Amino acid sequence: MIKIDNVPEPKKKVTDTKEKNPKNKKIDIYKFSEDVLHELSDDNVPSIPSNYSVYFEKMLDEKSDEFRKEIGDILMSHAESMSDGGNINIEKEIKQGFIQIKSMLQAVAIVYKNLNVMKSIIQKRMQSLENNTNILALQNVLSAFNQDLIKLNDLMEKHLDVIKVSYVEVGKMFKAIEEQSIYDTMFEVYNKKFLVASIQSEIESVKRYGYSSSFLFVKIKDKFVARLKNLKDRNNMFKSMSQLLLKTSRRSDIVAHYGDGCFAMVMKYTDENGTKQACKRILNMLACMPWKIDSEESNLDVQVVSSMITKDKSMEELLSNALDTLATTEFEEQPIFLGHTDREQ
């Protein structure tokens, strides 16, 4: 897994954090945990779980391979599911259930339609036999069969009314759930609603604590997307891009789908230098990602626009500036960094 080094460097100690002889040194997770807390305090960052996690990962990266392996084993043995992950799984299950209900209703509708077709056929046949006295017995059988079908049809209509009411209620419930959803099931990342809330939260944190955070937008250029005529192929390409962004992000980063194949990443505790490095790595990584169009392999042509999250601009202003830049810089050199106020390359 490629890691994007987008977190500010913890302040350097007098001694190097890399152990020269790790094999001769016992792994002490308790001391390391205390060092992380001290680092948070020195950098004036609140010691809340999310902040601790970011600093823990960053400082762990500076340790030896053996130290990281030992800590990784300890973490794996005490791993717990994240609450957001649980919510995501619930959303997946609910949406899958809705798909099944919709499928069931469609099947019932087809049965109902076929019964009506059968009824029409019998009526047509009976009309053709009305003047034929030689087959009176057959007419009686068909008439009785028709009456049975009428009764069955009445029952089906009643059941269908019940199913329709249930379907409407399930639809309302699903809509309510979708309005509260934080997850994009198609691309398996967070959705626009969660992205907006995350940026707003970071603005408040920047105002309160004064640390640096940033975000970026990344999308495949319109001229490249236009070469893919099939919607399914386009979505597959967007899905591949979203999964690559997920794999290269840190656990503290938030990867989200803003809409129409445009993805975003919120990078907590990330200064200008870290943001620029992250943008360049993402750009180079995606630019090397091949995609087959009309039996011809082409590398993705992408745009990346990033911005610092500042206390002086609202969430709407930050997003609007970044999206406007994204819309007007398709043919300019990438990536583009907006900085705090003025646009930078």
Side-chain angles (χ1 to χ4, degrees):
M1 182 184 293
I2 305 170
K3 290 289 186 181
I4 297 177
D5 189 9
N6 55 5
V7 181
E9 293 286 343
K11 296 174 184 177
K12 295 293 182 181
K13 307 295 181 185
V14 178
T15 57
D16 192 357
T17 56
K18 290 272 187 182
E19 293 94 337
K20 294 182 180 179
N21 299 305
K23 292 185 178 180
N24 299 326
K25 196 169 185 178
K26 184 179 179 181
I27 304 302
D28 188 349
I29 189 171
Y30 301 106
K31 184 178 183 308
F32 179 70
S33 300
E34 289 178 359
D35 290 342
V36 175
L37 288 172
H38 288 316
E39 202 66 49
L40 283 164
S41 178
D42 291 345
D43 289 355
N44 195 32
V45 175
S47 302
I48 59 177
S50 58
N51 296 349
Y52 184 89
S53 176
V54 174
Y55 269 65
F56 188 95
E57 285 187 32
K58 183 64 182 178
M59 293 177 66
L60 188 61
D61 285 343
E62 298 177 349
K63 296 293 184 179
S64 67
D65 292 340
E66 184 182 356
F67 190 95
R68 290 198 299 271
K69 183 180 181 302
E70 289 288 339
I71 296 296
D73 290 342
I74 295 173
L75 292 176
M76 285 296 292
S77 65
H78 294 84
E80 294 181 354
S81 300
M82 299 297 290
S83 59
D84 283 346
N87 291 336
I88 288 169
N89 289 333
I90 291 172
E91 289 181 20
K92 284 182 176 180
E93 292 295 331
I94 291 172
K95 291 185 179 182
Q96 283 300 318
F98 182 80
I99 290 171
Q100 294 300 322
I101 292 171
K102 185 176 181 181
S103 177
M104 179 186 68
L105 181 59
Q106 289 172 340
V108 172
I110 291 172
V111 172
Y112 180 75
K113 180 180 178 181
N114 288 340
L115 285 172
N116 281 328
V117 171
M118 186 178 295
K119 179 182 175 183
S120 299
I121 292 173
I122 292 174
Q123 288 176 340
K124 182 178 179 181
R125 296 301 181 207
M126 288 188 68
Q127 288 173 0
S128 67
L129 296 172
E130 283 179 355
N131 299 322
N132 193 335
T133 58
N134 295 326
I135 52 172
L136 184 59
L138 181 58
Q139 280 185 294
N140 292 334
V141 172
L142 290 176
S143 178
F145 183 47
N146 185 53
Q147 291 301 316
D148 290 337
L149 283 177
I150 290 173
K151 293 178 182 178
L152 179 60
N153 193 60
D154 290 340
L155 288 173
M156 286 294 297
E157 285 182 347
K158 291 179 181 179
H159 289 304
L160 190 60
D161 287 339
V162 172
I163 292 174
K164 283 181 178 178
V165 171
S166 299
Y167 180 77
V168 170
E169 291 302 315
V170 170
K172 289 179 181 178
M173 182 179 65
F174 176 72
K175 185 177 180 181
I177 292 171
E178 196 167 46
E179 288 174 353
Q180 300 177 48
S181 172
I182 62 170
Y183 189 68
D184 188 310
T185 54
M186 177 176 289
F187 301 115
E188 297 184 355
V189 293
Y190 289 109
N191 60 15
K192 179 180 176 180
K193 179 180 179 179
F194 190 78
L195 169 69
V196 169
S198 298
I199 293 179
Q200 184 61 52
S201 176
E202 281 305 293
I203 291 174
E204 298 302 320
S205 296
V206 169
K207 287 180 181 178
R208 187 170 183 179
Y209 304 114
Y211 59 73
S212 298
S213 288
S214 62
F215 73 96
L216 63 83
F217 277 121
V218 55
K219 65 172 288 190
I220 301 173
K221 292 184 178 180
D222 293 338
K223 62 178 182 178
F224 190 93
V225 175
R227 294 170 60 189
L228 286 170
K229 307 301 181 184
N230 188 291
L231 179 60
K232 183 178 179 181
D233 291 340
R234 290 186 182 186
N235 286 335
N236 286 338
M237 179 173 64
F238 295 148
K239 175 71 174 291
S240 297
M241 184 169 75
S242 71
Q243 295 308 294
L244 196 56
L245 288 173
L246 273 179
K247 289 179 181 178
T248 58
S249 64
R250 288 182 173 273
R251 284 187 295 177
S252 58
D253 294 337
I254 294 168
V255 180
H257 179 226
Y258 185 82
D260 297 325
C262 178
F263 294 90
M265 185 184 293
V266 179
M267 298 171 285
K268 299 181 180 183
Y269 316 111
T270 307
D271 57 15
E272 290 190 15
N273 185 55
T275 301
K276 290 178 181 179
Q277 288 180 2
C279 289
K280 288 178 181 178
R281 293 185 186 184
I282 289 174
L283 179 67
N284 293 335
M285 178 180 59
L286 291 175
C288 295
M289 180 178 168
W291 198 262
K292 187 171 289 187
I293 303 177
D294 296 330
S295 301
E296 178 185 345
E297 272 201 356
S298 303
N299 289 336
L300 295 185
D301 194 5
V302 299
Q303 290 178 262
V304 180
V305 173
S306 61
S307 170
M308 298 305 298
I309 295 176
T310 69
K311 61 183 179 181
D312 301 320
K313 289 185 179 179
S314 67
M315 174 270 297
E316 291 83 3
E317 288 175 318
L318 288 171
L319 289 177
S320 178
N321 290 343
L323 290 169
D324 287 346
T325 303
L326 200 65
T328 57
T329 57
E330 180 174 356
F331 302 102
E332 295 187 22
E333 184 180 352
Q334 305 292 323
I336 292 172
F337 178 68
L338 298 180
H340 288 279
T341 52
D342 299 326
R343 176 178 153 188
E344 301 178 30
Q345 194 74 25

